[in-house]
């Protein structure tokens, strides 16, 4: 979806500390614990005299040879390995230099050049995020994105998406890499402690990724390209963030000091994220996707071929969220292009297309499991199964500003009739909860909207229109019975 492509690019440059922390691990007393529950849920294991943390998702902790865990106390007089530059205080510069050296050693990459580092306080950070956001995203675009997400049942149409993003991306950021200006921003108000050092390790991975593989031209991961194919960009972002998270985990295991771990635990025990906590259900899950599913995807590659297998993925990037969710299908299972006709002339005066694109397996799951109305949400296992078998799709959303009406068309190609029927069964349950009981064979008619789901062999088509008459006209234009 176009809304996700804009957010994907922003979140690549600005990482929330809560997300950085939620997928990181701490090695304490020989046990590894995740800090915050992941969306799929895990069993909990208690640590004496500490908080309770979920058990890790890692299938196997990578064994890194030739690297000894760091024992140098943080804040000591570390010799700089690269020029101490920009406006970083010498002590922070020495620490960031050391972390860069550790990431280079751990990851096996060599930087192609230095990176500019700038110190920001929280007020400066908020202003930087605000200016970047306003340059790339307008309130009008956010309004259309809200209407699109509302059509899919993921947001209320009155939700203030624009200001929500600004607040979210200004909440508790410890550091970020801005790939537009090729600059690392270190955020510090009081101290540069374990959480900040951990975040710097994560973000320096982005520096190396960009220097070696080039986000913009090499990976074609930029605003224009992602506007055209947000599904591909969702997959690439999962590779980028998954690699950075996986490398960060290994940095914590290999290099983090006891003081780092104590400071991270202390931070977590006192941490609050009111904006993130109050966000719509699907946004919470979607924001974690590149870190959670991305890390699992990268870990799968690592277990099959080590760091070289991860490096090769940048030369042949994943193309869909299906490949991320099912890494065993990468790279062979290539998504199939689905097309829809332009309905603007059919709909007539006052109608405009506000969005079109590919929903993807991940967003198909979100629609079924994380709608804005809790009563419509299927159990996650059921929604995952219903979305599995996705082969390709196309959607288009039209809006009439005069009458405040929406038309949605979603055509999904499935791997086979069984997958299509499995989705239909799940969608029937979802639609009955959202629109009321069906008035016919997969038809839902309410005073607010007319909804119908068609199935033809391995293809399903969902139409959502203001009334049955317009629904029939759209169906005829699409060649549906």
């Amino acid at each position: 979806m176009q809304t996700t492509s804009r957010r994907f690019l922003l979140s690549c440059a600005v990482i929330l500390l809560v997300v950085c922390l939620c997928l990181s691990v701490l090695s304490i007393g020989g046990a590894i614990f995740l800090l915050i529950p992941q969306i799929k849920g895990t069993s909990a294991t208690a640590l004496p005299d500490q908080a309770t943390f979920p058990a890790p998702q890692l299938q196997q902790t990578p064994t890194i040879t030739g690297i000894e865990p760091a024992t140098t106390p943080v804040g000591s007089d570390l010799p700089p390995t690269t020029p101490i530059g920009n406006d970083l205080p010498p002590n922070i510069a020495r620490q960031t230099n050391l972390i860069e050296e550790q990431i280079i050693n751990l990851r096996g990459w060599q930087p192609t050049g230095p990176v500019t580092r700038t110190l920001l306080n929280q007020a400066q950070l908020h202003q930087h995020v605000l200016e970047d956001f306003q340059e790339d995203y307008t309130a009008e675009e956010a309004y259309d994105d809200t209407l699109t997400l509302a059509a899919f049942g993921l947001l209320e149409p009155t939700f203030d998406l624009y200001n929500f993003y600004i607040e979210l991306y200004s909440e508790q950021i410890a550091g970020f890499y801005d790939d537009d200006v090729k600059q690392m921003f270190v955020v510090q108000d009081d101290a540069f402690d374990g959480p900040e050092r951990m975040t710097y390790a994560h973000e320096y991975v982005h520096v190396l990724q960009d220097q070696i593989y080039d986000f913009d031209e090499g990976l074609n991961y930029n605003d224009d390209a992602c506007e055209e194919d947000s599904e591909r960009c969702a997959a690439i972002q999962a590779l980028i963030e998954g690699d950075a998270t996986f490398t960060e985990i290994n940095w914590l295991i290999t290099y983090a000091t006891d003081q780092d771990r104590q400071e991270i635990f202390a931070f977590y025990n006192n941490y609050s994220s009111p904006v993130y906590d109050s966000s719509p259900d699907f946004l919470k899950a979607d924001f974690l996707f590149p870190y959670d599913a991305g890390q699992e995807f990268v870990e799968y590659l690592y277990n099959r071929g080590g760091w070289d297998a991860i490096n090769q993925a940048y030369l042949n990037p994943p193309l869909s969220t299906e490949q991320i969710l099912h890494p065993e299908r990468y790279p062979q299972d290539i998504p199939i292009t689905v097309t829809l006709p332009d309905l603007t002339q059919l709909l007539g005066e006052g109608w405009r297309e506000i969005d079109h694109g590919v929903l993807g397996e991940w967003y198909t799951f979100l629609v079924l499991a994380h709608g804005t109305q809790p009563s419509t949400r299927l159990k996650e296992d059921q929604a995952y199964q219903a979305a599995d078998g996705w082969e390709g799709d196309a959607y288009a959303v039209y809006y009439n500003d005069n009458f405040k009406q929406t038309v949605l068309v979603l055509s999904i190609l499935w791997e086979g009739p069984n997958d299509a029927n499995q989705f239909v069964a799940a969608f029937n349950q979802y639609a009955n909860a959202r629109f009321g009981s069906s008035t016919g064979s997969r038809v839902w008619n309410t005073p607010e909207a007319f909804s119908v789901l068609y199935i033809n062999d391995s293809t399903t088509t969902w139409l959502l229109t203001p009334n049955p008459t317009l629904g029939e006209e759209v169906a005829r234009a699409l060649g549906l019975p």
Side-chain angles (χ1 to χ4, degrees):
M1 305 180 75
Q2 289 185 13
T3 178
T4 61
S5 70
R6 296 187 185 107
R7 185 178 47 75
F8 282 154
L9 292 177
L10 181 60
S11 65
C12 182
V14 182
I15 178 172
L16 289 176
L17 186 56
V18 63
V19 175
C20 181
L21 283 170
C22 77
L23 294 170
S24 299
V25 296
L26 295 175
S27 179
I28 298 182
I32 301 173
F33 297 89
L34 287 178
L35 292 182
I36 297 178
Q38 299 187 37
I39 60 172
K40 295 179 183 177
T42 57
S43 59
T45 303
L47 185 67
D49 301 321
Q50 294 286 353
T52 299
F53 302 100
Q57 294 283 338
L58 285 174
Q59 299 170 2
Q60 175 183 351
T61 302
T63 301
I64 312 298
T65 59
I67 302 176
E68 294 297 327
T71 57
T72 307
V74 291
S76 64
D77 192 18
L78 301 171
T81 57
T82 58
I84 296 177
N86 321 121
D87 59 356
L88 296 188
N91 184 50
I92 294 179
R94 290 188 180 95
Q95 292 183 60
T96 56
N97 289 343
L98 178 63
I99 293 169
E100 290 177 14
E101 206 172 57
Q102 292 166 342
I103 293 297
I104 291 168
N105 193 24
L106 184 64
R107 197 61 181 79
W109 283 334
Q110 288 300 318
T112 61
V115 59
T116 303
R117 299 171 298 186
T118 300
L119 190 69
L120 296 179
N121 58 35
Q122 285 293 333
Q124 293 169 325
L125 168 69
H126 180 82
Q127 186 61 31
H128 180 90
V129 171
L130 180 62
E131 291 173 356
D132 276 2
F133 191 84
Q134 291 175 332
E135 181 179 341
D136 294 334
Y137 196 48
T138 67
E140 290 75 19
E141 289 172 320
Y143 175 70
D144 285 351
D145 286 342
T146 301
L147 295 174
T148 296
L149 292 165
F152 282 103
L154 294 170
L155 274 186
E156 294 295 340
T158 56
F159 186 79
D160 188 355
L161 186 64
Y162 185 77
N163 284 307
F164 167 78
Y165 277 151
I166 291 175
E167 293 175 3
L168 178 65
Y169 286 106
S170 298
E171 184 178 71
Q172 295 290 353
I173 302 174
F176 62 96
Y177 170 64
D178 190 330
D179 62 298
D180 285 335
V181 296
K182 312 300 181 187
Q183 191 167 353
M184 181 82 87
F185 291 91
V186 178
V187 180
Q188 182 203 24
D189 276 334
D190 299 318
F192 190 74
D193 292 333
E196 289 79 15
R197 287 189 289 275
M198 180 177 65
T199 302
Y200 192 89
H202 181 111
E203 294 303 305
Y204 187 65
V205 176
H206 291 325
V207 173
L208 297 178
Q209 291 167 331
D210 194 17
Q211 287 188 355
I212 296 168
Y213 299 105
D214 192 343
F215 290 158
D216 188 358
E217 296 186 6
L219 296 178
N220 197 26
Y221 184 74
N222 53 63
D223 287 320
D224 292 338
C226 292
E227 194 77 14
E228 289 299 316
D229 193 350
S230 62
E231 173 71 358
R232 181 188 64 85
C233 281
I236 291 176
Q237 196 214 10
L239 169 63
I240 290 171
E241 293 295 357
D243 185 8
T245 301
F246 186 68
T247 305
E248 171 196 9
I249 288 172
N250 282 275
W251 178 87
L252 280 165
I253 294 171
T254 308
Y255 290 112
T257 65
D258 289 341
Q259 184 175 338
D260 285 327
R261 299 179 183 109
Q262 292 168 5
E263 290 167 351
I264 292 168
F265 265 123
F267 172 86
Y268 173 65
N269 287 332
N270 294 288
Y271 181 76
S272 64
S273 52
V275 178
Y276 177 81
D277 292 342
S278 65
S279 63
D281 191 66
F282 96 94
L283 276 173
K284 291 180 184 177
D286 191 33
F287 197 88
L288 289 176
F289 175 79
Y291 305 89
D292 179 0
Q295 181 259 310
E296 292 181 9
F297 173 80
V298 168
E299 182 193 347
Y300 176 88
L301 297 180
Y302 182 92
N303 288 338
R304 289 177 64 87
W307 295 113
D308 287 343
I310 300 172
N311 295 344
Q312 286 299 314
Y314 289 95
L315 305 178
N316 185 23
L319 299 174
S320 67
T321 55
E322 178 197 24
Q323 291 181 338
I324 299 299
L325 291 166
H326 310 278
E328 71 280 1
R329 301 177 190 174
Y330 165 82
Q332 290 81 13
D333 197 342
I334 298 174
I336 295 176
T337 300
V338 177
T339 59
L340 291 173
D342 186 351
L343 300 177
T344 306
Q345 286 190 336
L346 170 70
L347 295 174
E349 185 178 356
W351 287 90
R352 62 188 178 93
E353 183 188 87
I354 60 173
D355 197 8
H356 72 273
V358 176
L359 194 67
E361 181 175 336
W362 171 243
Y363 256 75
T364 302
F365 159 77
L366 288 178
V367 168
L368 296 175
H370 290 274
T372 187
Q373 301 175 27
S375 61
T376 69
R377 298 172 190 167
L378 305 186
K379 293 182 179 179
E380 291 204 345
D381 287 348
Q382 182 185 3
Y384 273 119
Q385 291 174 2
D388 192 2
W390 178 96
E391 192 78 354
D393 77 60
Y395 75 86
V397 182
Y398 301 84
Y399 190 71
N400 189 307
D401 292 285
N402 296 324
F403 296 103
K404 310 299 182 187
Q405 294 177 335
T406 302
V407 167
L408 163 67
V409 180
L410 169 65
S411 181
I412 305 178
L413 175 64
W414 300 93
E415 292 182 1
N418 289 338
D419 296 304
N421 285 317
Q422 183 172 255
F423 172 76
V424 168
F427 187 89
N428 281 339
Q429 182 178 336
Y430 161 82
N432 284 335
R434 180 178 173 186
F435 304 113
S437 298
S438 172
T439 59
S441 179
R442 299 183 300 277
V443 175
W444 298 267
N445 191 12
T446 73
E448 293 78 25
F450 173 78
S451 183
V452 57
L453 181 69
Y454 296 87
I455 179 171
N456 181 15
D457 192 32
S458 299
T459 300
T460 59
T461 303
W462 175 26
L463 303 184
L464 180 66
T465 62
N467 53 68
T469 301
L470 187 55
E472 292 171 2
E473 293 178 4
V474 171
R476 282 194 296 270
L478 295 173
L480 298 170

